[in-house]
Amino acid sequence: MSLLPNAASHRLPLPGGVRAEAGWGFFQTMVRAVLAGLGMILALALPLAAQLEVGDNTHLNLSGDIGYNYTGNIDQGMSSHGSGLMGNVTLTGNYYSPKFVNFTIHPYYNRQQSNSLFGALSDNKGVTSSMNLFSGSHFPGSISYNKNINGISEFGVPASSVGLASHGDSQGFGVSWSELIPDLPTLTATYMIGSESSSIFGSQEESNQHDHNLNLFSTYELAGFRLNGGYTHRTVDATFTEVLNGSPEPVATTTGNNNYQVNAMHSFPMTGTFSVAWNRSNYSYDYHDSNNGHSSGASDTLSGNLNFRPTRKLSLGFSANYGDSLLGSVPETILNNGTPVTTFTSAGTFRNFQVNGDAYYELLSNLFLHATVSRQEQTFLGRSYGATQFAGNANYNLNHKFLGSFSFSLSVIDTANKQGNTGLGVVGNLNFNRKIAGWDVNANYSYSQNVQTVLLVYTTSAMGWVTNARRRIANRTYFMAGYSGSHSGINTLASSLSSAERVQSTLTYHSYSLIGFYSKSHGTAAFTSTGLVAVPPGLPPGVISPDALIVFDSKAYGFSASAMPIKRLNISAGYADSKGDTVDPLLSTFTRNRLYNAIMQYRLRKVYLNGGYTQLRQSVGAAGVAPVKVTTFYVGISRWFNFF
C-alpha cells in the first residue's frame, strides 16, 4: 500500500480478478504527482495565507491529512507488508465569484476506513468532485464525478445488525442545468450515470449494476395555481448471482422505467387547499438465467384532495384516488434493482377506486376525535370487490404526577359491503414516559389488525414495540438498556410473516464506555444486486417471481468498548458474530461471519498517531464450508494541513 516505486504492497483482488489499478492509471499518476508536490510544499505551508489567489480572479483553498503508514495483510495464510504515503485532501475554489464558478475536489489514497463497520480491509482510494456554474444567474448548472476503488460495503440482510462484508468498485457522473427566468415556467434537467461491482468475501461470484437516469422537472404559477410536472427515465442493467440460495447460475436483468407526473395546487376558502395529481408509469423488464423472461406494463393514477377548516376546532378532508395497475404496488427498491417481476398482463386487469372523507375535532384541550368513512371498489383476476369502511379514533393525553407521562390512541375500523359487515379492525398506539426509582423509562407499543393494503381479500396485522431505560449510577456513570422488535405479516399467507428483535445495553463511566447487543430476524426477502430487500406485506401472490424470493433467518451479537485513558488518546475495539441460513425453497445455504476491529488515535497538536487492526472470518455456502480469513493492520503518522 505505497505510492513509492518498488515498495512492497498488497491489494485485495477485485471481483473477477480485475486489479484495483484497472482503468485507474491516469488518476493514480495524478495522485502521485499531487502528493509528491504537497510533500515539497509542507515547509512552506505554515506562512501561507488561508486562501491562495491565483491571478486576479481565482481563489483556492487546500486542506487535508497527509501521512505515512506501515501496513500488513494476511489473506488465507499469505502475508504481505508495505509502507508508503497516504492522503485525504480537499481542494475548494472559485473563479471570479462563488456564484459564478465554484468547485470541490476530494481525492483520497490508501484511506483507512476506521469509521466503517468492517474497518480497513482494503486500501481504499478514489475521488469525489463537483462544480457549480452560474449559481447566481437564471441558468445555473452543476457537474459531479466520483470514483471509489476497492471500497468495503455491506451485503444487506433485512433487520440484521451485521450483514455480509463485500468489496468492489463504483463510479458515477452527473450533470444538471436549470432555466429559472421570472414569470416563465422553470425547467431543471438532470442526467446521471453510474456503475458498481461487488463480491462477497468468501464467494467468487460477482455482481454488477449500471444505471442511467434522466430527470426533467418544471414549475409554474398560473391564475393562482401552483403547477409542477416531471419526467423520469431510468434504465438498469444488472448481473448478479443469488449466492445465498446456492444457485450457480448468474442472473442478468434489464429494466427500463418511464414516469410522468403533473400536479396542481390552489388555495381554498376557510384556510384550505385543493390539489389534483396525475401519474403514469410504464416499464419493460428482461430476465435471463437458466430461464428467460420478459415483462412489461403501465399504470395510471389520478388523485384529488380537498382540506379546509370551517371552525377553529373542526377540520375536514376529502380525497379520491383511481389506479389501473398493480405496478404502483411494487416497491421501487425491488423493481429497480433487478428483482424478477411477473408479467402484470398475465395477472389480469387490476383497477382500484377509492374515496375518503375525514373529520377532526378538538373536543377538549387534550382530547382529539377523528372519524372517517371510505369506499373502495377493486377489480382483480376477473372478480370485483367492494367495501365501505367506517372508523373512529380518540387520542387522549394524560399528564399526572402519579402516572408520569402517558398517552394513547385507539382506532376502530368497521368494514361493510352489500352483504353486511365483513370485519372489524383495530389500530392502537401506546406511549409511556416516566421516572421510576431513579430510572428514566420510556416505551411505545403499536398494533394494527385487519388494516387494508392492496386487495380487499387480504387481512394483515402488524405490531412493534420499543422500550428504553436509563439510570445515573454515580458521578458521570450511566447505564442504559433497550429492547425493540416488530412482527408483521399476511395472516392468510404464513410464509410472508416477518419479525425482528434487538436488545442493547450501554455502560458509560467517565470517558469509558461498553456496549453490547443481540438481534435476530426472520422473513421473506427478494434478491437484488445490492442485497436482500424485505418483501412488504400486501402484495398479491405472483407479483414477484418465486425464483426471486428467499426465506431467511439471521442472528447476531457483539460488543464494543471505547476509552480515553489519557487526554487526546482514543482507543476502541469491537467484536461481532452473525450467522444465518436461507431456504429457497428446499436448499439451505449458511452464512457466518466473525469480525474483530480495533483502532487507536493519539493527537499531538495537528499530528496524529494512528493504528488499526481488523480480522474477518466469513463463510457462505453449504454447512461446514471453510471460511475466508482476512487480517489487516496498520500503524502510521499523519498531520492536518491548511496549505492555502
Side-chain angles (χ1 to χ4, degrees), residues 241-560:
T241 55
E242 299 174 332
V243 61
L244 297 187
N245 71 351
S247 173
E249 188 75 23
V251 177
T253 63
T254 300
T255 305
N257 294 332
N258 292 284
N259 181 271
Y260 310 83
Q261 60 175 359
V262 177
N263 300 278
M265 179 180 293
H266 197 284
S267 60
F268 192 79
M270 293 175 286
T271 65
T273 59
F274 169 75
S275 65
V276 292
W278 171 79
N279 181 280
R280 178 176 176 81
S281 297
N282 60 56
Y283 83 103
S284 63
Y285 187 93
D286 291 288
Y287 172 80
H288 308 280
D289 59 357
S290 56
N291 299 309
N292 296 328
H294 174 77
S295 175
S296 62
S299 67
D300 289 276
T301 59
L302 180 64
S303 63
N305 291 275
L306 172 63
N307 297 279
F308 60 98
R309 178 174 290 182
T311 67
R312 184 179 64 85
K313 293 187 175 184
L314 176 63
S315 298
L316 299 177
F318 302 92
S319 64
N321 299 275
Y322 171 80
D324 65 354
S325 174
L326 283 172
L327 176 61
S329 304
V330 180
E332 183 179 359
T333 54
I334 293 177
L335 188 64
N336 285 341
N337 283 282
T339 300
V341 179
T342 302
T343 304
F344 287 114
T345 55
S346 65
T349 301
F350 174 85
R351 291 188 177 89
N352 178 71
F353 178 72
Q354 183 174 1
V355 292
N356 299 281
D358 293 271
Y360 296 86
Y361 187 74
E362 181 182 353
L363 185 61
L364 300 172
S365 60
N366 55 355
L367 177 59
F368 299 88
L369 304 179
H370 172 218
T372 181
V373 58
S374 173
R375 176 63 186 176
Q376 192 169 19
E377 298 282 350
Q378 293 182 345
T379 301
F380 181 62
L381 292 177
R383 298 183 60 184
S384 297
Y385 306 90
T388 302
Q389 290 186 332
F390 307 89
N393 174 280
N395 191 311
Y396 183 67
N397 297 310
L398 178 64
N399 293 287
H400 194 277
K401 292 182 179 180
F402 175 75
L403 294 176
S405 181
F406 178 77
S407 65
F408 67 91
S409 64
L410 180 66
S411 298
V412 178
I413 303 172
D414 181 46
T415 304
N417 57 26
K418 60 184 179 181
Q419 283 79 31
N421 287 358
T422 59
L424 189 66
V426 177
V427 177
N429 191 72
L430 180 65
N431 297 281
F432 181 74
N433 191 336
R434 185 184 176 190
K435 195 175 186 68
I436 303 175
W439 290 86
D440 293 315
V441 180
N442 61 79
N444 170 266
Y445 176 80
S446 60
Y447 176 80
S448 61
Q449 174 69 41
N450 197 26
V451 178
Q452 188 50 50
T453 53
V454 178
L455 292 178
L456 295 170
V457 294
Y458 279 87
T459 300
T460 65
S461 64
M463 61 180 174
W465 58 91
V466 177
T467 304
N468 293 288
R470 181 177 184 270
R471 180 183 175 89
R472 180 178 179 271
I473 300 176
N475 182 36
R476 297 177 62 187
T477 304
Y478 298 88
F479 176 77
M480 292 164 281
Y483 173 57
S484 61
S486 63
H487 190 285
S488 63
I490 305 175
N491 294 345
T492 55
L493 190 59
S495 61
S496 295
L497 295 175
S498 63
S499 62
E501 295 179 70
R502 179 181 175 89
V503 180
Q504 179 171 314
S505 63
T506 303
L507 175 65
T508 61
Y509 170 71
H510 294 263
S511 59
Y512 301 84
S513 68
L514 179 65
I515 301 174
F517 75 90
Y518 170 80
S519 67
K520 65 178 182 178
S521 60
H522 166 82
T524 303
F527 274 107
T528 74
S529 57
T530 57
L532 298 178
V533 175
V535 177
L539 292 182
V543 171
I544 297 179
S545 171
D547 294 338
L549 296 178
I550 187 171
V551 178
F552 69 90
D553 284 281
S554 175
K555 294 182 180 180
Y557 68 91
F559 63 87
S560 63

Side-chain angles (χ1 to χ4, degrees), residues 611-644:
Y613 172 86
T614 301
Q615 182 185 100
L616 173 70
R617 293 172 58 92
Q618 182 167 284
S619 60
V620 180
V625 66
V628 60
K629 182 178 179 180
V630 179
T631 303
T632 65
F633 66 88
Y634 68 93
V635 291
I637 184 171
S638 65
R639 189 186 192 280
W640 181 83
F641 288 96
N642 187 13
F643 297 97
F644 49 79

Side-chain angles (χ1 to χ4, degrees), residues 171-211:
Q171 66 175 341
F173 172 80
V175 59
S176 178
W177 210 273
S178 299
E179 172 271 305
L180 306 174
I181 300 177
D183 301 324
L184 290 178
T186 67
L187 176 63
T188 298
T190 303
Y191 178 69
M192 295 182 294
I193 57 176
S195 64
E196 60 180 301
S197 62
S198 64
S199 180
I200 298 175
F201 283 96
S203 172
Q204 299 300 318
E205 289 81 7
E206 180 187 36
S207 295
N208 295 278
Q209 182 167 310
H210 302 272
D211 294 80

